Amino acid sequence: MPVQSTLSRSTVISRLRAAGCVFAEDEADLLLSAGLAPNELLNAVQRRVDGFPLEHILGWAEFCGLRIKVEAGVFVPRRRTELLVREAAALVGAASAEPLSSTPPVVVDLCCGSGAVGTALAALMPGIEVHASDVDPAAVRCARLNVVPVGGVVHEGDLYSALPARLRGNVEILAVNAPYVPTASISSMPHEARVHEPRVSLDGGPDGLDIQRRVIAEAAAWLRPGGHLLIETSRLQAPVTAAAMVIGRLSPRIATSAELDATAVIGKLL
């Protein structure tokens, strides 16, 4: 049985609200239900007041109805990235209906962070072959906690160099949440992101699209004919991302979700 906390719900809410937490009530309920001893709860509330991401304090983030393990120093999956999962799942379902191959569709979660996208797709689409990769060793360690239990594999390395050579030309879905914040905009991000999440997971270069361009340039070599590259981006950046896909021999379309406040560019290899 968890030790009963000496902090009341109203006290926790007041402290969080005073610190500027917009969803103080919801955050208080999550902290109070975490089964923390009184001293642990006091420490957790103080860390949140000090600007630590709630997900790092709890050790998980909700994503596509799942609890994704998130360790300190690892990028926290955002709800808007669920658009990538929705679009990818629809494309995998359509591809699976085609009587072209008896092998499972190969899905790659590139720049995977915690592996949230690959984990969610594996949960939604049993039987797919899931690979995830990231250049950050901390992210790779965290992703393995999420991806391996659902049958996937996690690789460490820079973009495609991390992937097994046998995947080249055989990938059905490349789902990518590469960093896309312009370098000059990092300083204006919320404290919890710019201080507690790795810069490598945020900084996309001068216009935010450096990593996206690298991903797009090699995508055609890794996708199977008819395969898709899906990249999360911003509404303003989407036309530039789409133009880069045309140069990369992909036919792009832009997907948006007002509900998730999300934008993704989806390119099909013809």
Side-chain angles (χ1 to χ4, degrees), residues 11-48:
T11 299
V12 175
I13 291 172
S14 296
R15 292 187 185 182
L16 295 178
R17 188 177 289 134
C21 297
V22 177
F23 303 105
E25 291 84 357
D26 293 337
E27 292 193 14
D29 289 340
L30 287 169
L31 289 168
L32 289 164
S33 64
L36 301 174
N39 61 323
E40 293 173 330
L41 179 61
L42 285 167
N43 180 60
V45 172
Q46 187 59 51
R47 290 178 72 203
R48 184 63 183 128

Side-chain angles (χ1 to χ4, degrees), residues 144-185:
R144 286 182 175 138
L145 298 176
N146 295 304
V147 176
V148 173
V150 295
V153 183
V154 183
H155 312 277
E156 181 180 336
D158 185 28
L159 300 180
Y160 300 102
S161 67
L163 301 177
R166 69 175 180 82
L167 298 185
R168 194 177 181 90
N170 293 306
V171 176
E172 182 69 48
I173 295 290
L174 274 170
V176 186
N177 184 15
Y180 58 92
V181 179
T183 302
S185 299

Side-chain angles (χ1 to χ4, degrees), residues 9-234:
R9 181 175 184 271
S10 60
T11 299
V12 175
I13 291 172
S14 296
R15 292 187 185 182
L16 295 178
R17 188 177 289 134
C21 297
V22 177
F23 303 105
E25 291 84 357
D26 293 337
E27 292 193 14
D29 289 340
L30 287 169
L31 289 168
L32 289 164
S33 64
L36 301 174
N39 61 323
E40 293 173 330
L41 179 61
L42 285 167
N43 180 60
V45 172
Q46 187 59 51
R47 290 178 72 203
R48 184 63 183 128
V49 166
D50 291 340
F52 282 81
L54 177 67
E55 295 83 0
H56 287 169
I57 297 169
L58 295 172
W60 58 270
E62 184 175 352
F63 184 79
C64 290
L66 304 172
R67 285 194 174 187
I68 300 295
K69 294 181 175 64
V70 182
E71 297 182 341
V74 174
F75 181 80
V76 176
R78 274 53 162 180
R79 186 164 179 258
R80 62 176 172 265
T81 307
E82 293 184 8
L83 178 62
L84 281 186
V85 175
R86 294 179 185 180
E87 294 287 339
L91 292 168
V92 170
S96 299
E98 300 175 6
L100 299 177
S101 175
S102 59
T103 59
V106 176
V107 173
V108 174
D109 179 2
L110 207 61
C111 304
C112 69
S114 63
V117 170
T119 302
L121 284 170
L124 281 171
M125 314 290 291
I128 64 174
E129 180 180 343
V130 175
H131 294 263
S133 72
D134 203 286
V135 71
D136 182 4
V140 169
R141 288 194 300 271
C142 185
R144 286 182 175 138
L145 298 176
N146 295 304
V147 176
V148 173
V150 295
V153 183
V154 183
H155 312 277
E156 181 180 336
D158 185 28
L159 300 180
Y160 300 102
S161 67
L163 301 177
R166 69 175 180 82
L167 298 185
R168 194 177 181 90
N170 293 306
V171 176
E172 182 69 48
I173 295 290
L174 274 170
V176 186
N177 184 15
Y180 58 92
V181 179
T183 302
S185 299
I186 298 290
S187 60
S188 62
M189 293 187 71
H191 174 272
E192 60 191 68
R194 60 184 166 81
V195 173
H196 297 289
E197 293 182 315
R199 179 114 181 182
V200 70
S201 70
L202 303 172
D203 193 342
D207 68 351
L209 303 179
D210 281 2
I211 310 302
Q212 289 190 12
R213 291 188 183 95
R214 290 181 57 205
V215 169
I216 292 167
E218 293 188 55
W222 289 87
L223 291 170
R224 75 160 185 86
H228 290 82
L229 168 65
L230 300 85
I231 296 184
E232 178 180 312
T233 193
S234 72

